[in-house]
Amino acid sequence: MPPVLKPTTTPVGTTMSSESSKKRKPKVIRSDGAPPEGKRNRSDTEQEGKYYSEEAEMDLRDPGRDYELYKYTCQELQRLMAEIQDLKSRGGKDVAIEIEERRIQSCVHFMTLKKLNRLAHIRLKKGRDQTHEAKQKVDAYHLQLQNLLYEVMHLQKEITKCLEFKSKHEEIDLVSLEEFYEEAPPDISKAEVTMGDPHQQTLARLDWELEQRKRLAEKYCECLSNKEKILKEIEVKKEYLSSLQPRLNSIMQASLPVQEYLFMPFDQAHKQYETARHLPPPLYVLFVQATAYGQACAHMKSSSQPPRQDKTLSVAIEGSVDEAKALFKPPEDSQDDESDSDAEEEQTTKRRRPTLGVQLDDKRKEMLKRHPLSVMLDLKCKDDSVLHLTFFYLMNLNIMTVKAKVTTATELITPISAGDLLSPDSVLSCLYPGDHGKKTPNPANQYQFDKVGILTLSDYVLELGHPYLWVQKLGGLHFPKEQPQQTVIADHSLSASHMETTMKLLKTRVQSRLALHKQFASLEHGIVPVTSDCQYLFPAKVVSRLVKWVTVAHEDYMELHFTKDIVDAGLAGDTNLYYMALVERGTAKLQAAVVLNPGYSSIPPIFQLCLNWKGEKTNSNDDNIRAMESEVNVCYKELCGPWPSHQLLTNQLQRLCVLLDVYLETESHDDSVEGPKEFPQEKMCLRLFRGPSRMKPFKYNHPQGFFSHR
Amino acid sequence: MERAVPLAVPLGQAEVFQALQRLHMTIFSQSVSPCGKFLAAGNNYGQIAIFSLSAALSSEAKEESKKPVVTFQAHDGPVYSMVSTDRHLLSAGDGEVKAWLWVEMLKKGCKELWCRQPPYRTSLEVPEINALLLVPKENSLILAGGDCQLHTMDLETGTFTRVLRGHTDYIHCLALRERSPEVLSGGEDGAVRLWDLRTAKEVQTIEVYKHEECSRPHNGRWIGCLATDSDWMVCGGGPALTLWHLRSSTPTTIFPMRAPQKHVTFYQDLILSAGQGRCVNQWQLSGELKAQVPGSSPGLLSLSLNQQPAAPECKVLTAAGNSCRVDVFTNLGYRAFSLSF
């Protein structure tokens, strides 16, 4: 704002309305005010704004009176204005003077108003200054107050911090007070001081703690050194022991010949036990039970007879122990394997879809995998023939299989018809009734097979061995029939309960097979090898001769016209062995189809006959042929001979020859035919026929040597 | 569990043995109970089985009702012949005849009422009894068999009253002439003899094999079966099945059947016969073969007609022989089913 305007001229020269002058007042106030305007202008330039004359004046004047004055001046002005207007309107000559007069008066009033305006301005300014000053003071006070408050807060925080301070000693677990006073020496506890003062008391307790800890640390050090000493001692002793091992080994080595000499194979047994630890549970059960049974047998023998070194049952473990170890060692490996195989599966399915067959094949192989270890059981019979049984464990199927082999002391000449007798495939078939060893005994396997497309286990039996039920039982595996998914664990008691029976059965089986083998060798040459202790069963003179003994296939047997009854009765299963014998006397030819049950000799061979003499005669058209069959099949018990009746087959055949003799010799002579009878009666018979069905006297009475009816 | 397997071994053996026994079973004789509802059958192992005909013939018959109600060991040897009186079953086998009470037999573990042995001359072997015949008029029983003689036994006292001698070989069969107290017997010697019971003398002898019309030397001369109807007699065996007129001792009809016959009987105006072969043959008196009804056994030994008036619903023909089955013919036309041991 321009500090100085040219106000001096304006107020006088211009005629303005009061309102307009009022508006312009503020501008005028500072620039100029006082009536002595000229003087003031100079001072203004020198000391501008510093002081107005009215400032001092103002202090002396009362604002209220100024207001009265202002009101009065305004009224005067209004009156004058009105008078002027009045005069003007009247008009006249003298009016001008009067108007002039009155104009002067108005000017004075204007001057007063101006003065009053200035005063008001100054007053306002002064008031503002005062207010500002006061406000600043208040501000300063306020600031101070806030500082103080802040300080207070800070201090309070500090105080709480201090209050919350935790000393480390509080974490130390001190001994209880009573204990402290009891145990601590008085120079530490200072009961008289500390009793009253908890601080002192704590300090003392801390002292005591420190003391104790120092002592314990000392003890610890002592123990450490002790330990060190003992360790050193152990080290020394170990060294000594390890130096002992080779020496012991050498002693053992040296003792081996002695052991062998004395037949005490301790060493070997130990090695076996060591290996046995790596056997899978079923094989382990089998191993333990078989060993136990073998030892028990040896003991029984040695107690009743002079000690013999040949054990009837010997058990051994075969296979690579390392592989077995590798199977079981890292369980995480197997997981890896699984994931690997999964990954492989994915890969293979992705990569080589066309070779699905190969992949399935691999899977099958994996499923049928055997445990690398197997248990060998050698069962020795009285005639020095040995049954070698090798037991395997199929890990993924959880079943056991067995392979069998028979060796004899002397080389056997194998007759053609005896081919199947000792073959590993059939030698153990049906050891227990119905146990063919072709189906898996574990019902859970079927589901596994379905996955990889194995129809039945029987296709793999030759390679894997037979999973007979008794094998599972020897291994302690019991598979229930109704609950296919029950978990199966190897059980010792099951194995033990079956061991003896099974071993006996095995032995009988081998012996009977060997006996059959021997008999077949003679039979093939047309000799019925009746032993001397069975001779009493037959008359001295037997004219009918065995001329043929051949094996026939099961299917061929089924197709024979005279074997229908046996087939219908369900006695011609495919596990049996089938043979055809031909007995001849003169023009009469007797064919005999023989069913040899694997359970020979407890289950007898079954004969079906067909006689070609004066027409074909079988059991359906000749009662006596039927009676002959019944003589060998039903009355077989008379033909068993001494236990274990391995000679049964031979005796049955010889009996058949005798029966044919009787049949032919007692045939009634046809009077109308000329010439002598073809078969003159040589046998001594009480009666030729008997009963409604006209039976012939087939029964042989031993010491007297005559034939009678049954 | 431990015991299961040791037991299983003889079990397989026993099963095979049982199967063989059944396979070689022969049922020699049958007899219907006086009430007509039961049938007794005796086999070659000396067992007698009682079948319930009424149960097997009823509409709700099951498989089990074709099995015997009771089976028991009656004799040591085969049961060759059986007859029923109004209370007893008489069974005969090797050398002895036993009586059983029908009421008690259906219970288990029944014992014989009595056991008699005809007076045999001492011999190395005990002769068998092949035929039993009841003579209701004098309440006696005639036994015949291995010793070539007919023994009559008084059923009241159980004593053997008469011995009729004449046969030169063992006797197969007996038949009674209802009107006059005469008995016919046929034997291995090929003769049919007619005995007068009052005088205990042989009245008439027909040596069948000597008649060219019916003799068949390759089969032998034995007479295996015999039946009579007053003046008429039919017999068969080694010689062909022949109808005879007794008074004139001449063969009137020769039935063209090659296989030896083991049982023959008159039925109304037919003659039923059975023997070697599966069939029951029905003949007209004129010699025509009316029908051949096949049975289940390869050879038949006995026929039994259940004509007891007490059980008209059980009026059946049963046939048994070389198997463990008894075939039941509800009418003469076909085999309805088989009872089995």
Side-chain angles (χ1 to χ4, degrees):
Chain A
M1 181 157 289
V4 178
L5 291 169
K6 291 284 181 152
T8 42
T9 53
T10 41
V12 185
T14 51
T15 51
M16 283 191 295
S17 65
S18 61
E19 288 92 342
S20 68
S21 69
K22 261 183 195 169
K23 273 181 197 167
R24 296 183 53 146
K25 257 178 199 169
K27 286 181 182 173
V28 182
I29 284 173
R30 259 165 236 162
S31 54
D32 49 4
E37 209 173 322
K39 299 169 197 174
R40 273 288 147 104
N41 267 352
R42 275 173 231 152
S43 67
D44 266 358
T45 49
E46 286 167 3
Q47 31 180 293
E48 205 192 50
K50 254 191 184 173
Y51 192 70
Y52 295 91
S53 59
E54 280 91 352
E55 280 181 18
E57 198 187 338
M58 182 202 65
D59 289 336
L60 302 176
R61 291 179 73 109
D62 179 34
R65 280 185 61 192
D66 280 350
Y67 179 62
E68 294 296 319
L69 183 61
Y70 166 69
K71 271 188 21 200
Y72 168 73
T73 317
C74 288
Q75 275 172 357
E76 279 305 296
L77 269 173
Q78 277 171 343
R79 191 184 52 87
L80 283 173
M81 289 302 168
E83 276 174 8
I84 290 170
Q85 197 183 3
D86 213 20
L87 287 173
K88 278 202 176 165
S89 61
R90 264 189 278 156
K93 273 185 205 169
D94 54 345
V95 176
I97 309 157
E98 274 188 37
I99 289 172
E100 188 65 24
E101 199 185 326
R102 287 212 173 103
R103 200 184 65 170
I104 296 164
Q105 280 178 355
S106 310
C107 281
V108 170
H109 281 304
F110 271 122
M111 294 307 285
T112 321
L113 273 178
K114 268 193 166 175
K115 171 98 174 163
L116 279 174
N117 184 28
R118 267 194 308 272
L119 276 175
H121 273 291
I122 291 168
R123 267 201 200 109
L124 180 65
K125 187 178 177 271
K126 197 182 169 189
R128 267 190 192 149
D129 285 348
Q130 274 174 344
T131 315
H132 184 70
E133 215 171 302
K135 194 182 166 231
Q136 264 188 339
K137 231 184 239 171
V138 169
D139 277 350
Y141 282 135
H142 187 72
L143 191 67
Q144 205 180 350
L145 176 64
Q146 276 191 332
N147 280 343
L148 287 172
L149 277 176
Y150 181 76
E151 207 169 328
V152 166
M153 234 162 62
H154 179 72
L155 287 173
Q156 272 172 345
K157 256 188 209 164
E158 287 294 304
I159 287 167
T160 48
K161 234 187 231 170
C162 290
L163 284 177
E164 279 167 12
F165 174 75
K166 279 210 168 170
S167 167
K168 238 190 184 168
H169 82 271
E170 280 170 46
E171 287 165 17
I172 299 170
D173 215 5
L174 293 173
V175 291
S176 69
L177 261 182
E178 299 89 55
E179 232 177 290
F180 167 67
Y181 280 117
E182 256 172 50
E183 289 178 3
D187 59 316
I188 291 177
S189 66
K190 291 181 201 142
E192 64 286 352
V193 186
T194 54
M195 271 306 209
D197 187 353
H199 179 69
Q200 285 298 327
Q201 192 182 41
T202 312
L203 279 178
R205 283 171 73 188
L206 283 171
D207 279 345
W208 174 230
E209 184 71 24
L210 178 68
E211 184 68 25
Q212 273 180 318
R213 287 192 182 204
K214 269 184 193 161
R215 278 188 217 167
L216 285 174
E218 237 168 76
K219 222 181 234 176
Y220 172 69
C221 280
E222 233 170 84
C223 287
L224 265 186
S225 65
N226 236 10
K227 184 186 149 196
E228 201 82 348
K229 229 187 269 172
I230 291 167
L231 270 180
K232 255 180 208 166
E233 262 173 60
I234 289 173
E235 198 73 11
V236 171
K237 281 183 182 167
K238 257 189 190 167
E239 244 166 69
Y240 172 71
L241 280 178
S242 61
S243 72
L244 201 61
Q245 180 70 32
R247 262 190 285 170
L248 281 175
N249 275 348
S250 62
I251 292 172
M252 292 276 271
Q253 210 68 38
S255 75
L256 269 183
V258 184
Q259 283 185 25
E260 248 165 66
Y261 184 71
L262 295 172
F263 304 110
M264 294 187 295
F266 298 120
D267 199 40
Q268 215 184 336
H270 274 294
K271 252 185 218 161
Q272 278 209 343
Y273 293 149
E274 188 60 32
T275 329
R277 289 194 312 155
H278 302 290
L279 285 172
L283 284 180
Y284 184 75
V285 169
L286 171 73
F287 173 78
V288 171
Q289 293 298 334
T291 320
Y293 179 67
Q295 282 170 357
C297 281
H299 277 299
M300 282 194 291
K301 276 219 177 105
S302 58
S303 58
S304 59
Q305 293 169 12
R308 290 196 309 174
Q309 77 276 21
D310 59 337
K311 284 206 288 180
T312 51
L313 183 71
S314 64
V315 188
I317 298 172
E318 280 199 345
S320 148
V321 183
D322 295 337
E323 266 180 62
K325 274 185 195 162
L327 261 184
F328 283 96
K329 219 194 275 167
E332 62 269 23
D333 269 14
S334 66
Q335 277 179 354
D336 282 357
D337 277 358
E338 272 178 25
S339 59
D340 278 358
S341 66
D342 282 354
E344 257 173 53
E345 266 177 37
E346 280 175 20
Q347 279 181 356
T348 44
T349 43
K350 272 180 203 162
R351 235 188 282 151
R352 18 172 194 163
R353 206 153 277 236
T355 57
L356 204 70
V358 177
Q359 185 194 339
L360 259 183
D361 233 35
D362 288 347
K363 270 193 191 172
R364 273 177 215 157
K365 256 180 214 159
E366 175 65 26
M367 180 159 291
L368 300 173
K369 210 168 149 193
R370 298 196 292 221
H371 193 271
L373 290 179
S374 55
V375 173
M376 280 270 296
L377 232 110
D378 288 355
L379 199 61
K380 206 175 274 184
C381 301
K382 268 172 204 147
D383 54 352
D384 276 353
S385 55
V386 183
L387 174 66
H388 302 280
L389 296 171
T390 317
F391 293 90
F392 301 101
Y393 177 62
L394 304 186
M395 294 178 288
N396 292 323
L397 298 179
N398 191 23
I399 53 173
M400 289 170 70
T401 60
V402 68
K403 276 188 183 181
K405 208 184 123 197
V406 179
T407 55
T408 45
T410 52
E411 193 63 34
L412 279 180
I413 313 129
T414 306
I416 308 155
S417 55
D420 280 347
L421 277 185
L422 295 177
S423 81
D425 193 28
S426 75
V427 68
L428 297 180
S429 163
C430 296
L431 195 65
Y432 290 94
D435 193 1
H436 311 307
K438 301 234 159 119
K439 262 167 56 184
T440 168
N442 187 349
N445 289 167
Q446 206 46 57
Y447 303 107
Q448 295 173 285
F449 289 163
D450 287 347
K451 264 189 211 158
V452 296
I454 298 176
L455 280 181
T456 135
L457 192 65
S458 58
D459 303 337
Y460 301 89
V461 150
L462 263 187
E463 182 194 343
L464 296 173
H466 289 265
Y468 296 111
L469 276 177
W470 59 266
V471 179
Q472 321 305 321
K473 294 207 167 126
L474 285 190
L477 296 174
H478 175 60
F479 297 103
K481 289 220 163 115
E482 280 80 19
Q483 301 138 311
Q485 295 293 13
Q486 191 183 327
T487 48
V488 182
I489 31 163
D491 179 13
H492 272 274
S493 62
L494 181 67
S495 170
S497 65
H498 284 84
M499 183 59 72
E500 185 163 6
T501 343
T502 307
M503 286 303 144
K504 279 185 181 157
L505 279 174
L506 282 171
K507 226 184 250 188
T508 328
R509 169 60 61 86
V510 172
Q511 280 173 340
S512 73
R513 282 294 161 101
L514 286 170
L516 277 177
H517 202 270
K518 251 186 235 164
Q519 292 172 43
F520 280 18
S522 315
L523 291 177
E524 277 199 345
H525 294 94
I527 302 158
V528 184
V530 182
T531 53
S532 57
D533 47 5
C534 295
Q535 200 65 57
Y536 71 93
L537 290 169
F538 314 105
K541 190 181 174 192
V542 180
V543 189
S544 301
R545 285 280 162 251
L546 177 74
V547 288
K548 208 166 86 179
W549 174 259
V550 287
T551 160
V552 291
H554 178 222
E555 297 78 35
D556 297 343
Y557 180 89
M558 304 283 275
E559 277 166 21
L560 287 173
H561 63 281
F562 55 94
T563 56
K564 199 172 159 289
D565 290 343
I566 297 292
V567 176
D568 289 349
L571 293 170
D574 60 350
T575 49
N576 297 329
L577 302 169
Y578 295 91
Y579 300 94
M580 185 67 89
L582 183 63
V583 180
E584 273 187 12
R585 176 171 176 188
T587 55
K589 289 182 169 51
L590 179 68
Q591 272 182 296
V594 185
V595 183
L596 188 71
N597 194 291
Y600 179 89
S601 57
S602 65
I603 296 172
I606 302 168
F607 287 69
Q608 285 294 93
L609 307 177
C610 174
L611 176 67
N612 279 299
W613 184 61
K614 294 182 179 176
E616 193 177 75
K617 289 169 184 177
T618 64
N619 63 18
S620 61
N621 61 14
D622 193 322
D623 289 347
N624 278 305
I625 297 290
R626 194 158 182 266
M628 284 160 73
E629 283 175 6
S630 130
E631 283 287 330
V632 282
N633 291 341
V634 182
C635 307
Y636 72 92
K637 277 173 188 157
E638 300 166 8
L639 303 169
C640 282
W643 199 89
S645 59
H646 293 317
Q647 287 295 315
L648 176 60
L649 178 69
T650 297
N651 291 347
Q652 277 179 316
L653 280 167
Q654 180 73 357
R655 175 92 180 116
L656 204 58
C657 294
V658 175
L659 291 174
L660 183 62
D661 278 353
V662 173
Y663 182 94
L664 295 174
E665 288 177 20
T666 56
E667 194 58 26
S668 55
H669 186 59
D670 189 347
D671 298 331
S672 62
V673 181
E674 295 290 315
K677 284 171 88 173
E678 186 185 355
F679 306 110
Q681 189 181 337
E682 290 165 352
K683 306 276 186 292
M684 193 164 58
C685 304
L686 288 178
R687 275 170 64 186
L688 292 185
F689 297 100
R690 187 178 200 258
S693 46
R694 304 183 73 239
M695 286 299 141
K696 299 185 180 210
F698 288 126
K699 188 178 171 192
Y700 176 70
N701 296 279
H702 164 52
Q704 299 89 356
F706 66 91
F707 284 85
S708 68
H709 289 88
R710 189 169 291 284
Chain B
M1 192 59 239
E2 284 94 304
R3 295 219 151 251
V5 165
L7 269 177
V9 182
L11 208 109
Q13 195 182 348
E15 274 168 358
V16 171
F17 185 66
Q18 229 171 25
L20 285 172
Q21 258 199 338
R22 281 171 57 85
L23 209 58
H24 290 96
M25 192 184 288
T26 304
I27 300 175
F28 283 110
S29 52
Q30 330 170 39
S31 179
V32 181
S33 71
C35 66
K37 288 180 179 160
F38 295 96
L39 177 77
N43 69 8
N44 58 331
Y45 303 116
Q47 296 166 324
I48 291 179
I50 312 290
F51 298 97
S52 169
L53 283 176
S54 54
L57 286 164
S58 72
S59 50
E60 60 260 24
K62 290 180 279 280
E63 264 321 293
E64 296 99 74
S65 47
K66 290 164 188 170
K67 288 271 167 198
V69 186
V70 177
T71 308
F72 58 93
Q73 191 73 37
H75 293 266
D76 295 332
V79 184
Y80 286 128
S81 183
M82 288 196 292
V83 288
S84 288
T85 67
D86 46 3
R87 287 179 62 215
H88 301 138
L89 173 75
L90 306 175
S91 68
D94 278 346
E96 53 187 15
V97 58
K98 289 184 180 178
W100 314 80
L101 265 179
W102 270 107
V103 238
E104 275 186 17
M105 257 192 304
L106 295 171
K107 299 172 204 156
K108 292 236 157 89
C110 102
K111 290 245 341 168
E112 77 251 27
L113 198 61
W114 46 259
C115 172
R116 297 277 185 278
Q117 189 166 20
Y120 294 127
R121 285 164 291 180
T122 47
S123 164
L124 258 179
E125 67 151 2
V126 184
E128 80 279 12
I129 296 169
N130 284 328
L132 294 176
L133 185 69
L134 280 172
V135 185
K137 270 186 191 164
E138 52 182 53
N139 192 22
S140 65
L141 177 74
I142 303 179
L143 307 86
D147 63 347
C148 316
Q149 301 166 6
L150 283 80
H151 299 269
T152 49
M153 187 182 98
D154 186 16
L155 283 176
E156 196 82 42
T157 57
T159 51
F160 291 90
T161 50
R162 275 177 298 224
V163 175
L164 308 176
R165 297 195 180 89
H167 275 286
T168 56
D169 207 335
Y170 77 93
I171 299 167
H172 275 287
C173 47
L174 292 171
L176 182 71
R177 289 184 82 184
E178 298 278 352
R179 262 181 266 164
S180 49
E182 287 176 345
V183 172
L184 289 163
S185 66
E188 184 74 16
D189 58 0
V192 175
R193 290 168 206 271
L194 186 64
W195 309 85
D196 190 331
L197 285 178
R198 288 163 294 196
T199 57
K201 289 266 167 59
E202 187 178 335
V203 191
Q204 195 180 352
T205 307
I206 302 172
E207 290 181 303
V208 180
Y209 63 98
K210 287 188 176 164
H211 292 259
E212 254 180 53
E213 306 95 302
C214 48
S215 98
R216 291 186 297 195
H218 59 278
N219 281 342
R221 35 172 92 160
W222 53 278
I223 296 298
C225 55
L226 195 60
T228 177
D229 188 14
S230 62
D231 279 348
W232 301 95
M233 184 265 289
V234 61
C235 68
L241 191 68
T242 320
L243 183 68
W244 293 77
H245 188 245
L246 275 180
R247 212 174 312 150
S248 59
S249 307
T250 46
T252 51
T253 315
I254 293 154
F255 300 96
M257 171 55 64
R258 290 195 49 178
Q261 296 300 291
K262 300 279 175 71
H263 193 105
V264 68
T265 179
F266 285 96
Y267 176 68
Q268 292 166 357
D269 53 350
L270 294 175
I271 291 171
L272 308 181
S273 79
Q276 199 63 258
R278 295 188 167 272
C279 297
V280 176
N281 309 303
Q282 300 173 18
W283 308 93
Q284 308 278 16
L285 290 179
S286 57
E288 275 171 55
L289 182 62
K290 191 193 170 216
Q292 272 192 313
V293 189
S296 67
S297 314
L300 293 175
L301 288 173
S302 68
L303 297 174
S304 161
L305 267 162
N306 182 5
Q307 285 171 312
Q308 293 293 343
E313 76 278 7
C314 299
K315 190 180 170 193
V316 291
L317 171 71
T318 50
N322 288 341
S323 75
C324 57
R325 293 177 293 276
V326 179
D327 296 340
V328 178
F329 302 82
T330 42
N331 63 32
L332 292 182
Y334 81 109
R335 178 174 71 95
F337 57 87
S338 298
L339 305 165
S340 171
F341 254 85

